[in-house]
């Protein structure tokens, strides 16, 4: 056998032994990975005494990030934080590990925190509210049983919530007060029950040109009136300040008369001697009367 044939044989032997080694040291991958109600779940493989590593990446798949805090066979995650991500799980034991088992991309149908996407088109006399799904998973799962529920209210009166009678997409809302802030909310309804989280946007309705002009005119008129009143007041004080000074001088020099009984009451000092106490004679009379009553009661009883 020449050297070339010997080298080829040795090469295939190394490759074959490498495959045997990998097959002997590789763990079984966790089967059946699924995402349901904001929970990533997987089944346990045939191997025992194993742990699992979980990673996620954005779509298209790029850099993988490790997740912590997962339990043995499931991993909870915030739906909005991991929306649109792809997960992978592998089994580990010591220095051994299995191949990665990859999940599907997270859709709205997989999570309970899904919220509609809304955009506003605001003009001076109307608001256009557009509503759409983050993806088509909810529409595929619920069909016509998944709907949008729009609401709006003025920020100064949050208890007065308005719901349109005729819901279209985009929804045109008329009759909003210009120059005021409004909040617009859209949530999912599945079988007429709320689903996921609502989306909320608060914006100010711009003023109409006529309203802005009227407000500027009123502000100008009020400012002119206030300045005119102040100017007239200063002019009057400047021209008649001597008469005003004499009048105030006479008023301030007038004595402050207080009635005599008030003056006496405020300046007098009270003492215990001024308080009337019952005399000793009155006390004796009271004692005598009580004694007479005590003596007469037995006689009345005896006669009975």
């Amino acid at each position: 056998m020449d050297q070339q044939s010997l080298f080829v044989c040795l090469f295939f032997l190394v490759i074959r032994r490498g495959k045997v080694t990998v097959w002997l040291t590789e763990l079984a991958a966790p089967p059946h990975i699924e995402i349901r109600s904001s929970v990533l779940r997987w089944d346990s493989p045939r191997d025992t005494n194993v742990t699992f590593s979980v990673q996620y990446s954005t779509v298209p798949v790029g850099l993988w990030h490790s997740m912590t805090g997962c339990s043995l066979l499931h991993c909870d995650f915030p739906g909005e934080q991991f929306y649109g991500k792809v997960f992978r799980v592998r089994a580990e034991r010591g220095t051994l590990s299995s191949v990665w088992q990859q999940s599907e991309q997270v859709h709205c149908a997989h999570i309970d925190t899904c919220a509609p996407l809304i955009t506003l088109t605001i003009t001076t006399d109307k608001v256009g509210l557009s509503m759409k799904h983050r993806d088509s998973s909810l529409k595929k799962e619920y069909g016509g049983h998944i709907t949008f529920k729009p609401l709006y209210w003025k920020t100064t009166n949050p208890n007065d919530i308005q719901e349109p009678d005729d819901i279209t997409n985009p929804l045109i809302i008329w009759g909003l007060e210009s120059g005021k802030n409004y909040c617009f909310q859209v949530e999912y309804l599945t079988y007429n029950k709320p689903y996921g989280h609502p989306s909320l946007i608060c914006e100010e309705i711009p003023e109409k040109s006529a309203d802005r002009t009227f407000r500027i005119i009123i502000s100008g008129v009020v400012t002119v009136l206030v300045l005119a009143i102040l100017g007239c007041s200063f002019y009057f004080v400047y021209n008649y300040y001597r008469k005003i000074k004499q009048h105030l001088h006479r008023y301030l020099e007038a004595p402050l008369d207080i009635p005599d009984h008030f003056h006496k009451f405020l300046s007098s000092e009270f003492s215990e001697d001024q308080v009337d106490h019952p005399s000793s004679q009155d006390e004796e009379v009271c004692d005598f009367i009580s004694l007479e009553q005590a003596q007469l009661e037995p006689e009345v009883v005896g006669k009975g």
Side-chain angles (χ1 to χ4, degrees):
M1 182 181 294
D2 56 2
Q3 294 181 356
Q4 184 177 1
S5 300
L6 179 61
F7 176 78
V8 172
C9 293
L10 291 176
F11 176 78
F12 280 106
L13 180 61
V14 170
I15 295 298
R16 183 176 180 80
R17 288 184 177 180
K19 288 185 177 180
V20 172
T21 303
V22 171
W23 182 80
L24 291 175
T25 59
E26 189 177 77
L27 297 178
H32 191 58
I33 297 179
E34 64 176 355
I35 301 171
R36 183 185 303 171
S37 300
S38 301
V39 179
L40 175 69
R41 302 178 183 272
W42 58 89
D43 294 338
S44 179
R46 298 184 303 271
D47 300 296
T48 58
N49 298 326
V50 295
T51 58
F52 300 93
S53 291
V54 182
Q55 294 181 345
Y56 71 92
S57 179
T58 57
V59 177
V61 178
L63 182 64
W64 289 95
H65 305 274
S66 298
M67 291 187 60
T68 58
C70 299
S71 63
L72 183 60
L73 294 176
H74 72 274
C75 191
D76 301 332
F77 57 91
E80 287 299 321
Q81 181 178 353
F82 289 95
Y83 177 81
K85 303 295 190 298
V86 173
F87 295 85
R88 65 180 186 179
V89 184
R90 74 177 182 183
E92 297 177 349
R93 185 176 62 218
T95 58
L96 306 180
S97 61
S98 68
V99 296
W100 291 101
Q101 189 74 8
Q102 188 168 307
S103 71
E104 297 179 355
Q105 181 184 0
V106 179
H107 297 289
C108 281
H110 300 138
I111 57 179
D112 295 332
T113 56
C114 186
L117 294 176
I118 60 176
T119 55
L120 294 179
T121 304
I122 303 176
T123 59
T124 56
D125 57 348
K126 65 181 180 180
V127 171
L129 177 61
S130 300
M131 303 163 284
K132 66 178 182 179
H133 301 285
R134 290 182 177 270
D135 55 48
S136 59
S137 59
L138 286 179
K139 198 67 177 177
K140 291 179 181 179
E141 181 169 349
Y142 295 102
H145 300 289
I146 182 77
T147 57
F148 298 112
K149 181 182 179 181
L151 302 171
Y152 64 94
W153 61 88
K154 192 186 299 184
T155 55
T156 56
N157 192 8
N159 295 325
D160 187 18
I161 300 177
Q162 303 293 327
E163 182 177 359
D165 297 330
D166 186 16
I167 300 177
T168 59
N169 194 9
L171 176 66
I172 306 301
I173 303 175
W174 299 84
L176 300 181
E177 188 176 353
S178 61
K180 302 296 181 180
N181 286 301
Y182 283 83
C183 289
F184 303 88
Q185 174 183 292
V186 179
E187 65 177 349
Y188 279 123
L189 292 181
T190 56
Y191 298 97
N192 296 322
K193 294 182 179 180
Y195 177 88
H197 287 180
S199 297
L200 179 67
I201 297 179
C202 296
E203 294 289 345
E204 180 180 353
I205 307 302
E207 288 184 316
K208 299 179 182 178
S209 58
D211 294 340
R212 188 182 302 107
T213 303
F214 180 76
R215 180 174 57 82
I216 294 174
I217 293 174
I218 293 298
S219 301
V221 170
V222 171
T223 303
V224 171
L225 289 176
V226 171
L227 293 176
I229 293 173
L230 291 176
C232 292
S233 300
F234 290 142
Y235 179 78
F236 179 81
V237 172
Y238 178 77
N239 287 332
Y240 299 98
Y241 77 95
R242 292 182 179 178
K243 294 183 178 180
I244 295 173
K245 182 179 179 180
Q246 293 176 0
H247 180 73
L248 293 176
H249 183 70
R250 288 196 303 268
Y251 176 79
L252 294 175
E253 286 183 351
L256 182 60
D257 296 331
I258 300 176
D260 295 338
H261 59 280
F262 279 106
H263 182 74
K264 183 178 180 180
F265 174 78
L266 294 174
S267 61
S268 62
E269 296 180 358
F270 292 96
S271 62
E272 294 183 356
D273 297 337
Q274 295 177 337
V275 181
D276 295 334
H277 295 284
S279 61
S280 58
Q281 184 178 359
D282 294 336
E283 293 179 354
E284 293 177 357
V285 172
C286 294
D287 294 339
F288 178 76
I289 293 174
S290 62
L291 181 61
E292 289 289 333
Q293 290 178 351
Q295 292 178 355
L296 291 176
E297 286 177 359
E299 294 180 0
V300 174
V301 175
K303 289 180 182 184

